[in-house]
Amino acid sequence: RKEVEQDPGPFNVPEGATVAFNCTYSNSASQSFFWYRQDCRKEPKLLMSVYSSGNEDGRFTAQLNRASQYISLLIRDSKLSDSATYLCVVLTMNTGFQKLVFGTGTRLLVSP
Amino acid sequence: DVKVTQSSRYLVKRTGEKVFLECVQDMDHENMFWYRQDPGLGLRLIYFSYDVKMKEKGDIPEGYSVSREKKERFSLILESASTNQTSMYLCATLGQLNSPLHFGNGTRLTVT
């Protein structure tokens, strides 16, 4: 089983739709969680951190479910510019070092 | 704002050549990472360094080495480039515990 798993998609949605992605992780000791956005041929950029209580940033909502070991990203009122790959990142302390594990990403395509 | 600079955006090398990929950061971060990203495989950790002259193998270190002589610079070395090392290489830094990664803009390496 992979440490971090994501549905690769693509998720094809019309403008204005609401879309949600999940990301599951296998290590129950994982401490921090992030969502990154990556545009084609560009480096990943931090979209938002995921806090235990859930957090919202404009149209984006991130949630953490420790019992079921997954995080989610909800995008409301999708824009064309939201088309990208969304990477889930999980941080775990491993023998004294921080270990970051990436999911393979979920591709989102927003169409007019 | 953290700045992570990779020396080349695009690089073409021949099989058997020695290749140096340089990464420089300006935020005095202790932790630096080298990843490669391939379609369908996501980001995979090659090596990381948590301090000057310290290095640790990641998940796929074979065929690579690294150098961290100064805190701000982390170099990835391909001793004898092979075609299966054609990939996008991403350098990243990490500041304090539980903070997100900051990426350079990547080097797309083609080995012919």
Side-chain angles (χ1 to χ4, degrees):
Chain A
R1 186 186 168 188
K2 287 184 182 178
E3 285 190 74
V4 177
E5 290 199 74
Q6 293 183 254
D7 182 340
F11 284 57
N12 290 287
V13 301
E15 262 186 301
T18 296
V19 62
F21 314 132
N22 281 347
C23 166
T24 59
Y25 61 95
S26 60
N27 189 336
S28 59
S30 297
Q31 298 173 307
S32 299
F33 308 87
F34 307 94
W35 282 104
Y36 278 73
R37 173 199 166 118
Q38 187 173 25
D39 294 293
C40 191
R41 295 184 173 271
K42 297 282 182 71
E43 75 276 20
K45 292 190 176 174
L46 180 68
L47 179 66
M48 56 199 304
S49 303
V50 186
Y51 302 123
S52 297
S53 54
N55 47 303
E56 192 173 306
D57 183 3
R59 298 181 292 109
F60 298 85
T61 301
Q63 293 201 306
L64 167 64
N65 185 317
R66 282 197 183 273
S68 301
Q69 294 185 201
Y70 73 87
I71 64 172
S72 63
L73 178 68
L74 180 81
I75 306 174
R76 287 182 298 279
D77 189 22
S78 299
K79 311 289 183 194
L80 295 176
S81 58
D82 293 335
S83 297
T85 297
Y86 292 84
L87 302 171
C88 161
V89 184
V90 176
L91 186 149
T92 309
M93 281 300 290
N94 183 30
T95 59
F97 305 119
Q98 296 182 87
K99 183 182 179 185
L100 285 141
V101 182
F102 285 78
T104 53
T106 297
R107 193 159 168 233
L108 172 66
L109 298 171
V110 182
S111 52
Chain B
D1 206 21
V2 177
K3 191 167 181 189
V4 184
T5 304
Q6 292 184 231
S7 52
S8 303
R9 195 68 197 267
Y10 298 95
L11 212 51
V12 180
K13 295 290 181 181
R14 292 190 182 274
T15 301
E17 277 193 80
K18 191 168 185 176
V19 182
F20 292 87
L21 302 183
E22 305 286 347
C23 176
V24 178
Q25 52 109 350
D26 66 356
M27 282 301 290
D28 204 37
H29 286 173
E30 270 114 16
N31 301 289
M32 296 187 75
F33 304 80
W34 274 107
Y35 290 89
R36 64 177 281 177
Q37 187 175 28
D38 301 286
L41 297 175
L43 275 92
R44 293 180 291 166
L45 181 63
I46 305 171
Y47 266 97
F48 66 99
S49 169
Y50 56 93
D51 205 347
V52 175
K53 296 193 187 294
M54 303 301 240
K55 59 186 179 185
E56 291 288 333
K57 291 180 180 179
D59 299 317
I60 51 162
E62 297 78 20
Y64 303 94
S65 61
V66 289
S67 172
R68 186 104 181 262
E69 295 297 315
K70 293 184 178 182
K71 195 173 188 180
E72 68 270 19
R73 186 180 296 269
F74 190 35
S75 304
L76 180 70
I77 303 152
L78 286 66
E79 295 290 341
S80 177
S82 62
T83 53
N84 64 11
Q85 291 178 310
T86 291
S87 187
M88 170 74 130
Y89 289 87
L90 289 155
C91 172
T93 73
L94 185 69
Q96 56 199 14
L97 187 66
N98 294 331
S99 61
L101 279 176
H102 299 273
F103 284 92
N105 57 8
T107 297
R108 190 165 289 278
L109 172 67
T110 302
V111 182
T112 61

mmCIF file of all heavy atoms in Angstrom, chain B residues 61-79:
data_model
loop_
_atom_site.group_PDB
_atom_site.id
_atom_site.type_symbol
_atom_site.label_atom_id
_atom_site.label_comp_id
_atom_site.label_asym_id
_atom_site.label_seq_id
_atom_site.Cartn_x
_atom_site.Cartn_y
_atom_site.Cartn_z
ATOM 1 N N PRO B 61 18.014 6.783 -4.298
ATOM 2 C CA PRO B 61 19.327 7.431 -4.394
ATOM 3 C C PRO B 61 20.268 6.846 -5.448
ATOM 4 O O PRO B 61 21.281 7.468 -5.778
ATOM 5 C CB PRO B 61 19.898 7.191 -2.993
ATOM 6 C CG PRO B 61 19.298 5.878 -2.587
ATOM 7 C CD PRO B 61 17.905 5.876 -3.171
ATOM 8 N N GLU B 62 19.935 5.693 -5.993
ATOM 9 C CA GLU B 62 20.872 5.003 -6.891
ATOM 10 C C GLU B 62 21.159 5.847 -8.128
ATOM 11 O O GLU B 62 20.249 6.337 -8.789
ATOM 12 C CB GLU B 62 20.290 3.641 -7.318
ATOM 13 C CG GLU B 62 20.065 2.661 -6.176
ATOM 14 C CD GLU B 62 18.819 2.947 -5.370
ATOM 15 O OE1 GLU B 62 17.920 3.648 -5.882
ATOM 16 O OE2 GLU B 62 18.736 2.480 -4.209
ATOM 17 N N GLY B 63 22.442 5.988 -8.413
ATOM 18 C CA GLY B 63 22.856 6.746 -9.586
ATOM 19 C C GLY B 63 23.067 8.226 -9.316
ATOM 20 O O GLY B 63 23.429 8.982 -10.220
ATOM 21 N N TYR B 64 22.849 8.619 -8.048
ATOM 22 C CA TYR B 64 22.975 10.029 -7.669
ATOM 23 C C TYR B 64 23.886 10.169 -6.455
ATOM 24 O O TYR B 64 24.026 9.245 -5.664
ATOM 25 C CB TYR B 64 21.615 10.616 -7.306
ATOM 26 C CG TYR B 64 20.560 10.529 -8.361
ATOM 27 C CD1 TYR B 64 19.650 9.461 -8.373
ATOM 28 C CD2 TYR B 64 20.445 11.507 -9.345
ATOM 29 C CE1 TYR B 64 18.673 9.369 -9.346
ATOM 30 C CE2 TYR B 64 19.461 11.421 -10.312
ATOM 31 C CZ TYR B 64 18.582 10.358 -10.312
ATOM 32 O OH TYR B 64 17.608 10.277 -11.276
ATOM 33 N N SER B 65 24.476 11.347 -6.330
ATOM 34 C CA SER B 65 25.135 11.727 -5.082
ATOM 35 C C SER B 65 24.825 13.201 -4.843
ATOM 36 O O SER B 65 24.279 13.873 -5.722
ATOM 37 C CB SER B 65 26.642 11.484 -5.139
ATOM 38 O OG SER B 65 27.228 12.262 -6.169
ATOM 39 N N VAL B 66 25.155 13.684 -3.660
ATOM 40 C CA VAL B 66 24.859 15.076 -3.324
ATOM 41 C C VAL B 66 26.033 15.686 -2.584
ATOM 42 O O VAL B 66 26.915 14.985 -2.074
ATOM 43 C CB VAL B 66 23.588 15.216 -2.460
ATOM 44 C CG1 VAL B 66 22.335 14.928 -3.259
ATOM 45 C CG2 VAL B 66 23.676 14.358 -1.212
ATOM 46 N N SER B 67 26.006 17.010 -2.524
ATOM 47 C CA SER B 67 27.041 17.752 -1.806
ATOM 48 C C SER B 67 26.394 18.933 -1.113
ATOM 49 O O SER B 67 25.614 19.670 -1.728
ATOM 50 C CB SER B 67 28.107 18.230 -2.800
ATOM 51 O OG SER B 67 29.019 19.090 -2.178
ATOM 52 N N ARG B 68 26.728 19.134 0.159
ATOM 53 C CA ARG B 68 26.239 20.296 0.919
ATOM 54 C C ARG B 68 27.427 20.873 1.695
ATOM 55 O O ARG B 68 27.608 20.634 2.866
ATOM 56 C CB ARG B 68 25.132 19.860 1.885
ATOM 57 C CG ARG B 68 24.487 21.058 2.598
ATOM 58 C CD ARG B 68 23.161 21.401 2.042
ATOM 59 N NE ARG B 68 22.542 22.543 2.688
ATOM 60 C CZ ARG B 68 21.627 22.451 3.664
ATOM 61 N NH1 ARG B 68 21.263 21.275 4.132
ATOM 62 N NH2 ARG B 68 21.086 23.551 4.155
ATOM 63 N N GLU B 69 28.211 21.677 0.982
ATOM 64 C CA GLU B 69 29.389 22.295 1.586
ATOM 65 C C GLU B 69 29.040 23.595 2.303
ATOM 66 O O GLU B 69 29.718 24.012 3.241
ATOM 67 C CB GLU B 69 30.462 22.556 0.520
ATOM 68 C CG GLU B 69 31.026 21.281 -0.100
ATOM 69 C CD GLU B 69 31.730 20.412 0.921
ATOM 70 O OE1 GLU B 69 32.515 20.948 1.740
ATOM 71 O OE2 GLU B 69 31.478 19.189 0.937
ATOM 72 N N LYS B 70 27.997 24.256 1.830
ATOM 73 C CA LYS B 70 27.523 25.487 2.470
ATOM 74 C C LYS B 70 26.034 25.355 2.718
ATOM 75 O O LYS B 70 25.332 24.654 1.992
ATOM 76 C CB LYS B 70 27.789 26.693 1.571
ATOM 77 C CG LYS B 70 29.256 27.003 1.391
ATOM 78 C CD LYS B 70 29.433 28.268 0.570
ATOM 79 C CE LYS B 70 30.913 28.594 0.426
ATOM 80 N NZ LYS B 70 31.130 29.843 -0.338
ATOM 81 N N LYS B 71 25.564 26.053 3.720
ATOM 82 C CA LYS B 71 24.171 25.903 4.119
ATOM 83 C C LYS B 71 23.201 26.272 2.999
ATOM 84 O O LYS B 71 22.149 25.654 2.852
ATOM 85 C CB LYS B 71 23.896 26.784 5.343
ATOM 86 C CG LYS B 71 22.609 26.461 6.061
ATOM 87 C CD LYS B 71 22.513 27.248 7.344
ATOM 88 C CE LYS B 71 21.326 26.794 8.156
ATOM 89 N NZ LYS B 71 21.216 27.551 9.424
ATOM 90 N N GLU B 72 23.560 27.257 2.224
ATOM 91 C CA GLU B 72 22.613 27.750 1.223
ATOM 92 C C GLU B 72 22.617 26.947 -0.075
ATOM 93 O O GLU B 72 21.766 27.154 -0.918
ATOM 94 C CB GLU B 72 22.910 29.223 0.909
ATOM 95 C CG GLU B 72 24.224 29.491 0.190
ATOM 96 C CD GLU B 72 25.379 29.737 1.146
ATOM 97 O OE1 GLU B 72 25.262 29.356 2.336
ATOM 98 O OE2 GLU B 72 26.386 30.308 0.695
ATOM 99 N N ARG B 73 23.550 26.033 -0.235
ATOM 100 C CA ARG B 73 23.702 25.367 -1.526
ATOM 101 C C ARG B 73 23.649 23.854 -1.368
ATOM 102 O O ARG B 73 24.360 23.276 -0.542
ATOM 103 C CB ARG B 73 25.038 25.775 -2.157
ATOM 104 C CG ARG B 73 25.256 25.280 -3.566
ATOM 105 C CD ARG B 73 26.617 25.743 -4.071
ATOM 106 N NE ARG B 73 26.686 27.189 -4.169
ATOM 107 C CZ ARG B 73 26.373 27.886 -5.247
ATOM 108 N NH1 ARG B 73 25.972 27.264 -6.342
ATOM 109 N NH2 ARG B 73 26.470 29.188 -5.244
ATOM 110 N N PHE B 74 22.830 23.224 -2.201
ATOM 111 C CA PHE B 74 22.696 21.760 -2.174
ATOM 112 C C PHE B 74 22.779 21.280 -3.616
ATOM 113 O O PHE B 74 21.928 21.645 -4.434
ATOM 114 C CB PHE B 74 21.352 21.395 -1.529
ATOM 115 C CG PHE B 74 21.174 19.939 -1.215
ATOM 116 C CD1 PHE B 74 22.231 19.137 -0.808
ATOM 117 C CD2 PHE B 74 19.907 19.362 -1.276
ATOM 118 C CE1 PHE B 74 22.044 17.803 -0.493
ATOM 119 C CE2 PHE B 74 19.708 18.020 -0.954
ATOM 120 C CZ PHE B 74 20.780 17.251 -0.567
ATOM 121 N N SER B 75 23.788 20.510 -3.907
ATOM 122 C CA SER B 75 24.044 20.077 -5.285
ATOM 123 C C SER B 75 23.678 18.612 -5.473
ATOM 124 O O SER B 75 23.979 17.780 -4.613
ATOM 125 C CB SER B 75 25.522 20.273 -5.635
ATOM 126 O OG SER B 75 25.906 21.614 -5.424
ATOM 127 N N LEU B 76 23.084 18.323 -6.600
ATOM 128 C CA LEU B 76 22.773 16.942 -6.990
ATOM 129 C C LEU B 76 23.710 16.567 -8.128
ATOM 130 O O LEU B 76 23.852 17.323 -9.085
ATOM 131 C CB LEU B 76 21.321 16.818 -7.429
ATOM 132 C CG LEU B 76 20.865 15.428 -7.867
ATOM 133 C CD1 LEU B 76 20.791 14.479 -6.663
ATOM 134 C CD2 LEU B 76 19.494 15.499 -8.549
ATOM 135 N N ILE B 77 24.337 15.413 -8.011
ATOM 136 C CA ILE B 77 25.332 14.978 -8.993
ATOM 137 C C ILE B 77 24.909 13.652 -9.600
ATOM 138 O O ILE B 77 24.584 12.705 -8.873
ATOM 139 C CB ILE B 77 26.716 14.836 -8.323
ATOM 140 C CG1 ILE B 77 27.107 16.170 -7.672
ATOM 141 C CG2 ILE B 77 27.774 14.408 -9.354
ATOM 142 C CD1 ILE B 77 28.007 16.032 -6.494
ATOM 143 N N LEU B 78 24.908 13.618 -10.919
ATOM 144 C CA LEU B 78 24.712 12.370 -11.641
ATOM 145 C C LEU B 78 26.094 11.968 -12.133
ATOM 146 O O LEU B 78 26.657 12.611 -13.017
ATOM 147 C CB LEU B 78 23.760 12.554 -12.818
ATOM 148 C CG LEU B 78 22.273 12.726 -12.522
ATOM 149 C CD1 LEU B 78 21.974 14.029 -11.785
ATOM 150 C CD2 LEU B 78 21.468 12.643 -13.807
ATOM 151 N N GLU B 79 26.662 10.939 -11.529
ATOM 152 C CA GLU B 79 28.051 10.576 -11.822
ATOM 153 C C GLU B 79 28.244 10.176 -13.277
ATOM 154 O O GLU B 79 29.250 10.513 -13.893
ATOM 155 C CB GLU B 79 28.497 9.440 -10.902
ATOM 156 C CG GLU B 79 28.541 9.819 -9.425
ATOM 157 C CD GLU B 79 29.660 10.802 -9.089
ATOM 158 O OE1 GLU B 79 30.625 10.918 -9.888
ATOM 159 O OE2 GLU B 79 29.571 11.469 -8.051
#
